Amino acid sequence: MKRILAVASLLAGLSMPCWSNAEAIGDITTADAIAIHEVVQSQLDALANDDAVSAFELATPEKRLLIGSPDNFLRIIKEEYNPIYRYQRAIFSKPEVVDGDAIQIVRVTDSVGHVWVAIFSMQQEDDSSWKIDGCQLLETASVSI
């Protein structure tokens, strides 16, 4: 029983943002890390609620132009990114800068319990807000317990 509680405590801690001070994380400030987390979580929440307009607005202007409409965006998510559509659980890592690009990695458990790694490419806009510039999904061999 103690082992189960220890594992549950660890997993609960992983679902919370891992930053709380004012120092920079890599090349990302704490404020930016929090903003990135909020943008990705907001898009996941919007997708879970079929709120195509809100989810679409969190994409970069270039991606919105490429995709064309909120309805097209939701259709693409359902067809090609189904694990993040109505997911069961999401565990966020700290945002990082890789090769000069900001990314947010999220461990996602899909609706049937399979675990995926979602790598969100982030872009900071001229107004300092963060937008999602794309997402790569990597399937794992894991099944959530």
Side-chain angles (χ1 to χ4, degrees), residues 3-62:
R3 183 175 173 195
I4 292 172
L5 290 175
V7 171
S9 296
L10 175 63
L11 291 175
L14 287 174
S15 66
M16 302 302 291
C18 301
W19 49 87
S20 60
N21 57 28
E23 67 188 58
I25 300 167
D27 293 326
I28 297 175
T29 66
T30 300
D32 285 333
I34 291 168
I36 288 169
H37 178 271
E38 289 175 352
V39 166
V40 173
Q41 184 65 63
S42 293
Q43 189 175 70
L44 291 172
D45 291 344
L47 292 171
N49 292 314
D50 284 322
D51 184 353
V53 172
S54 295
F56 188 64
E57 283 301 312
L58 295 168
T60 60
E62 295 82 11

Side-chain angles (χ1 to χ4, degrees), residues 2-144:
K2 287 182 183 178
R3 183 175 173 195
I4 292 172
L5 290 175
V7 171
S9 296
L10 175 63
L11 291 175
L14 287 174
S15 66
M16 302 302 291
C18 301
W19 49 87
S20 60
N21 57 28
E23 67 188 58
I25 300 167
D27 293 326
I28 297 175
T29 66
T30 300
D32 285 333
I34 291 168
I36 288 169
H37 178 271
E38 289 175 352
V39 166
V40 173
Q41 184 65 63
S42 293
Q43 189 175 70
L44 291 172
D45 291 344
L47 292 171
N49 292 314
D50 284 322
D51 184 353
V53 172
S54 295
F56 188 64
E57 283 301 312
L58 295 168
T60 60
E62 295 82 11
K63 292 298 181 200
R64 291 193 310 262
L65 184 62
L66 182 67
I67 294 168
S69 73
D71 290 335
N72 284 344
F73 181 72
L74 189 58
R75 181 187 51 75
I76 291 168
I77 293 295
K78 288 178 180 179
E79 292 174 3
E80 298 178 31
Y81 297 88
N82 194 268
I84 64 173
Y85 175 68
R86 298 204 177 143
Y87 66 96
Q88 286 182 13
R89 181 182 180 112
I91 300 173
F92 285 73
S93 69
K94 296 177 186 177
E96 334 175 17
V97 175
V98 176
D99 294 330
D101 296 319
I103 62 168
Q104 173 67 71
I105 299 173
V106 183
R107 179 182 168 254
V108 177
T109 304
D110 68 17
S111 61
V112 294
H114 292 105
V115 177
W116 298 75
V117 175
I119 304 168
F120 290 87
S121 300
M122 305 301 297
Q123 182 175 304
Q124 193 167 32
E125 301 298 302
D126 292 338
D127 66 358
S128 296
S129 66
W130 286 92
K131 299 288 185 181
I132 299 170
D133 195 45
C135 179
Q136 278 188 299
L137 283 175
L138 306 171
E139 186 173 11
T140 72
S142 301
V143 176
S144 187

